[in-house]
mmCIF file of all heavy atoms in Angstrom:
data_model
loop_
_atom_site.group_PDB
_atom_site.id
_atom_site.type_symbol
_atom_site.label_atom_id
_atom_site.label_comp_id
_atom_site.label_asym_id
_atom_site.label_seq_id
_atom_site.Cartn_x
_atom_site.Cartn_y
_atom_site.Cartn_z
ATOM 1 N N ALA A 11 107.801 74.031 91.949
ATOM 2 C CA ALA A 11 108.187 74.708 93.213
ATOM 3 C C ALA A 11 107.382 74.116 94.339
ATOM 4 O O ALA A 11 106.178 73.940 94.246
ATOM 5 C CB ALA A 11 107.931 76.194 93.092
ATOM 6 N N ASN A 13 106.069 74.728 97.972
ATOM 7 C CA ASN A 13 105.767 75.802 98.944
ATOM 8 C C ASN A 13 105.526 75.130 100.317
ATOM 9 O O ASN A 13 104.490 74.535 100.525
ATOM 10 C CB ASN A 13 104.533 76.553 98.496
ATOM 11 C CG ASN A 13 104.083 77.600 99.518
ATOM 12 O OD1 ASN A 13 104.786 77.941 100.489
ATOM 13 N ND2 ASN A 13 102.875 78.104 99.372
ATOM 14 N N LYS A 15 105.188 76.553 103.144
ATOM 15 C CA LYS A 15 104.385 77.351 104.095
ATOM 16 C C LYS A 15 105.119 77.359 105.451
ATOM 17 O O LYS A 15 106.325 77.340 105.497
ATOM 18 C CB LYS A 15 102.974 76.837 104.182
ATOM 19 C CG LYS A 15 102.385 76.546 102.824
ATOM 20 C CD LYS A 15 100.906 76.261 102.807
ATOM 21 C CE LYS A 15 100.471 75.895 101.405
ATOM 22 N NZ LYS A 15 99.078 75.890 101.232
ATOM 23 N N ILE A 96 107.742 83.589 95.944
ATOM 24 C CA ILE A 96 106.291 83.494 95.700
ATOM 25 C C ILE A 96 105.644 84.811 96.167
ATOM 26 O O ILE A 96 105.930 85.302 97.254
ATOM 27 C CB ILE A 96 105.703 82.325 96.535
ATOM 28 C CG1 ILE A 96 106.329 80.978 96.104
ATOM 29 C CG2 ILE A 96 104.192 82.251 96.396
ATOM 30 C CD1 ILE A 96 105.935 79.823 97.045
ATOM 31 N N HIS A 99 100.394 84.923 97.190
ATOM 32 C CA HIS A 99 99.736 83.644 97.493
ATOM 33 C C HIS A 99 98.374 83.910 98.142
ATOM 34 O O HIS A 99 98.215 84.877 98.897
ATOM 35 C CB HIS A 99 100.616 82.782 98.424
ATOM 36 C CG HIS A 99 100.143 81.397 98.547
ATOM 37 N ND1 HIS A 99 99.106 81.046 99.412
ATOM 38 C CD2 HIS A 99 100.498 80.256 97.923
ATOM 39 C CE1 HIS A 99 98.887 79.772 99.311
ATOM 40 N NE2 HIS A 99 99.701 79.260 98.414
ATOM 41 N N SER A 100 97.385 83.033 97.856
ATOM 42 C CA SER A 100 96.063 83.305 98.395
ATOM 43 C C SER A 100 96.055 83.390 99.910
ATOM 44 O O SER A 100 95.226 84.113 100.490
ATOM 45 C CB SER A 100 95.053 82.237 97.911
ATOM 46 O OG SER A 100 95.439 80.994 98.404
ATOM 47 N N GLU A 101 96.962 82.658 100.569
ATOM 48 C CA GLU A 101 96.989 82.762 102.038
ATOM 49 C C GLU A 101 97.471 84.147 102.480
ATOM 50 O O GLU A 101 97.031 84.646 103.535
ATOM 51 C CB GLU A 101 97.844 81.626 102.626
ATOM 52 C CG GLU A 101 97.120 80.300 102.512
ATOM 53 C CD GLU A 101 97.977 79.068 102.408
ATOM 54 O OE1 GLU A 101 99.216 79.171 102.671
ATOM 55 O OE2 GLU A 101 97.489 78.027 101.973
ATOM 56 N N CYS A 130 100.973 84.449 92.262
ATOM 57 C CA CYS A 130 99.819 83.561 92.393
ATOM 58 C C CYS A 130 98.522 84.327 92.143
ATOM 59 O O CYS A 130 98.304 85.392 92.741
ATOM 60 C CB CYS A 130 99.761 82.960 93.798
ATOM 61 S SG CYS A 130 101.205 82.016 94.216
ATOM 62 N N ALA A 169 101.440 81.582 88.630
ATOM 63 C CA ALA A 169 100.853 80.313 89.130
ATOM 64 C C ALA A 169 99.358 80.496 89.201
ATOM 65 O O ALA A 169 98.858 81.356 89.949
ATOM 66 C CB ALA A 169 101.417 79.994 90.535
ATOM 67 N N GLU A 171 96.245 79.315 90.691
ATOM 68 C CA GLU A 171 95.902 78.522 91.880
ATOM 69 C C GLU A 171 94.470 78.821 92.286
ATOM 70 O O GLU A 171 94.213 79.791 93.023
ATOM 71 C CB GLU A 171 96.791 78.856 93.046
ATOM 72 C CG GLU A 171 98.280 78.516 92.785
ATOM 73 C CD GLU A 171 98.983 78.194 94.091
ATOM 74 O OE1 GLU A 171 98.912 78.935 95.066
ATOM 75 O OE2 GLU A 171 99.591 77.099 94.156
ATOM 76 N N PRO A 172 93.485 78.024 91.791
ATOM 77 C CA PRO A 172 92.148 78.234 92.240
ATOM 78 C C PRO A 172 92.063 78.039 93.772
ATOM 79 O O PRO A 172 92.541 76.980 94.268
ATOM 80 C CB PRO A 172 91.320 77.132 91.518
ATOM 81 C CG PRO A 172 92.326 76.219 90.916
ATOM 82 C CD PRO A 172 93.674 76.861 90.904
ATOM 83 N N ALA A 175 90.929 74.915 95.486
ATOM 84 C CA ALA A 175 91.695 73.660 95.293
ATOM 85 C C ALA A 175 92.902 73.609 96.202
ATOM 86 O O ALA A 175 93.548 72.570 96.287
ATOM 87 C CB ALA A 175 92.134 73.561 93.849
ATOM 88 N N ILE A 176 93.197 74.696 96.905
ATOM 89 C CA ILE A 176 94.436 74.740 97.725
ATOM 90 C C ILE A 176 94.230 74.039 99.046
ATOM 91 O O ILE A 176 93.393 74.453 99.837
ATOM 92 C CB ILE A 176 94.913 76.193 97.907
ATOM 93 C CG1 ILE A 176 95.275 76.795 96.561
ATOM 94 C CG2 ILE A 176 96.117 76.221 98.859
ATOM 95 C CD1 ILE A 176 95.777 78.211 96.602
ATOM 96 N N GLY A 177 94.989 72.996 99.242
ATOM 97 C CA GLY A 177 94.986 72.257 100.517
ATOM 98 C C GLY A 177 93.651 71.506 100.790
ATOM 99 O O GLY A 177 93.421 71.061 101.912
ATOM 100 N N THR A 178 92.833 71.381 99.808
ATOM 101 C CA THR A 178 91.505 70.759 100.012
ATOM 102 C C THR A 178 91.447 69.321 99.496
ATOM 103 O O THR A 178 90.470 68.609 99.787
ATOM 104 C CB THR A 178 90.405 71.551 99.247
ATOM 105 O OG1 THR A 178 90.744 71.555 97.829
ATOM 106 C CG2 THR A 178 90.316 72.984 99.741
ATOM 107 N N GLY A 179 92.425 68.940 98.670
ATOM 108 C CA GLY A 179 92.328 67.634 98.054
ATOM 109 C C GLY A 179 91.423 67.622 96.850
ATOM 110 O O GLY A 179 91.258 66.614 96.147
ATOM 111 N N TYR A 214 100.423 75.354 87.449
ATOM 112 C CA TYR A 214 99.140 75.089 88.096
ATOM 113 C C TYR A 214 99.412 74.750 89.569
ATOM 114 O O TYR A 214 100.430 74.009 89.846
ATOM 115 C CB TYR A 214 98.376 73.919 87.435
ATOM 116 C CG TYR A 214 97.231 73.447 88.341
ATOM 117 C CD1 TYR A 214 96.075 74.222 88.425
ATOM 118 C CD2 TYR A 214 97.375 72.350 89.181
ATOM 119 C CE1 TYR A 214 95.057 73.882 89.322
ATOM 120 C CE2 TYR A 214 96.368 72.023 90.059
ATOM 121 C CZ TYR A 214 95.210 72.771 90.131
ATOM 122 O OH TYR A 214 94.216 72.461 91.026
ATOM 123 N N GLY A 215 98.592 75.219 90.475
ATOM 124 C CA GLY A 215 98.690 74.857 91.872
ATOM 125 C C GLY A 215 97.356 74.605 92.468
ATOM 126 O O GLY A 215 96.390 75.355 92.195
ATOM 127 N N GLY A 216 97.255 73.627 93.342
ATOM 128 C CA GLY A 216 95.973 73.294 94.010
ATOM 129 C C GLY A 216 95.806 71.796 94.111
ATOM 130 O O GLY A 216 95.374 71.181 93.150
ATOM 131 N N SER A 217 96.250 71.235 95.269
ATOM 132 C CA SER A 217 96.109 69.781 95.490
ATOM 133 C C SER A 217 96.769 68.926 94.408
ATOM 134 O O SER A 217 96.221 67.902 93.970
ATOM 135 C CB SER A 217 94.640 69.405 95.666
ATOM 136 O OG SER A 217 94.077 70.019 96.820
ATOM 137 N N VAL A 218 97.979 69.386 93.958
ATOM 138 C CA VAL A 218 98.757 68.564 93.053
ATOM 139 C C VAL A 218 99.319 67.393 93.813
ATOM 140 O O VAL A 218 99.825 67.514 94.936
ATOM 141 C CB VAL A 218 99.926 69.387 92.385
ATOM 142 C CG1 VAL A 218 100.922 68.482 91.727
ATOM 143 C CG2 VAL A 218 99.368 70.414 91.433
ATOM 144 N N LYS A 219 99.228 66.219 93.234
ATOM 145 C CA LYS A 219 99.700 64.971 93.862
ATOM 146 C C LYS A 219 100.398 64.135 92.804
ATOM 147 O O LYS A 219 100.247 64.348 91.603
ATOM 148 C CB LYS A 219 98.497 64.183 94.393
ATOM 149 C CG LYS A 219 97.630 64.868 95.416
ATOM 150 C CD LYS A 219 98.252 64.790 96.840
ATOM 151 C CE LYS A 219 97.412 65.469 97.917
ATOM 152 N NZ LYS A 219 97.467 66.877 98.007
ATOM 153 N N LEU A 236 103.027 74.470 91.240
ATOM 154 C CA LEU A 236 103.341 74.973 92.570
ATOM 155 C C LEU A 236 102.630 74.035 93.546
ATOM 156 O O LEU A 236 101.430 73.860 93.495
ATOM 157 C CB LEU A 236 102.809 76.426 92.709
ATOM 158 C CG LEU A 236 103.099 77.116 94.058
ATOM 159 C CD1 LEU A 236 104.563 77.080 94.425
ATOM 160 C CD2 LEU A 236 102.618 78.567 94.012
ATOM 161 N N VAL A 237 103.473 73.403 94.374
ATOM 162 C CA VAL A 237 102.932 72.270 95.194
ATOM 163 C C VAL A 237 103.065 72.606 96.674
ATOM 164 O O VAL A 237 104.144 73.011 97.155
ATOM 165 C CB VAL A 237 103.785 70.981 94.899
ATOM 166 C CG1 VAL A 237 103.206 69.790 95.647
ATOM 167 C CG2 VAL A 237 103.880 70.726 93.402
ATOM 168 N N GLY A 238 101.960 72.479 97.389
ATOM 169 C CA GLY A 238 101.968 72.746 98.831
ATOM 170 C C GLY A 238 102.170 71.439 99.605
ATOM 171 O O GLY A 238 103.297 70.948 99.733
ATOM 172 N N GLY A 239 101.072 70.883 100.079
ATOM 173 C CA GLY A 239 101.121 69.690 100.938
ATOM 174 C C GLY A 239 102.016 68.561 100.449
ATOM 175 O O GLY A 239 102.801 67.997 101.202
ATOM 176 N N ALA A 240 101.939 68.246 99.159
ATOM 177 C CA ALA A 240 102.732 67.098 98.633
ATOM 178 C C ALA A 240 104.198 67.433 98.465
ATOM 179 O O ALA A 240 104.983 66.572 98.090
ATOM 180 C CB ALA A 240 102.125 66.645 97.288
ATOM 181 N N SER A 241 104.626 68.677 98.781
ATOM 182 C CA SER A 241 106.059 68.990 98.714
ATOM 183 C C SER A 241 106.708 68.777 100.091
ATOM 184 O O SER A 241 107.906 68.985 100.228
ATOM 185 C CB SER A 241 106.273 70.427 98.257
ATOM 186 O OG SER A 241 105.965 71.356 99.267
HETATM 187 C C1 PEP B 1 99.801 76.126 97.637
HETATM 188 O O1 PEP B 1 99.753 76.410 98.832
HETATM 189 O O2 PEP B 1 100.302 76.916 96.803
HETATM 190 C C2 PEP B 1 99.227 74.856 97.206
HETATM 191 C C3 PEP B 1 99.022 74.641 95.956
HETATM 192 O O3 PEP B 1 98.907 73.965 98.230
HETATM 193 P P1 PEP B 1 98.380 72.434 98.022
HETATM 194 O O4 PEP B 1 99.272 71.791 97.016
HETATM 195 O O5 PEP B 1 98.537 71.844 99.371
HETATM 196 O O6 PEP B 1 96.960 72.531 97.518
#
Side-chain angles (χ1 to χ4, degrees):
N13 174 16
K15 314 191 185 194
I96 299 172
H99 191 278
S100 62
E101 287 151 16
C130 301
E171 297 210 307
I176 296 180
T178 59
Y214 167 75
S217 297
V218 166
K219 300 278 181 283
L236 181 54
V237 185
S241 72

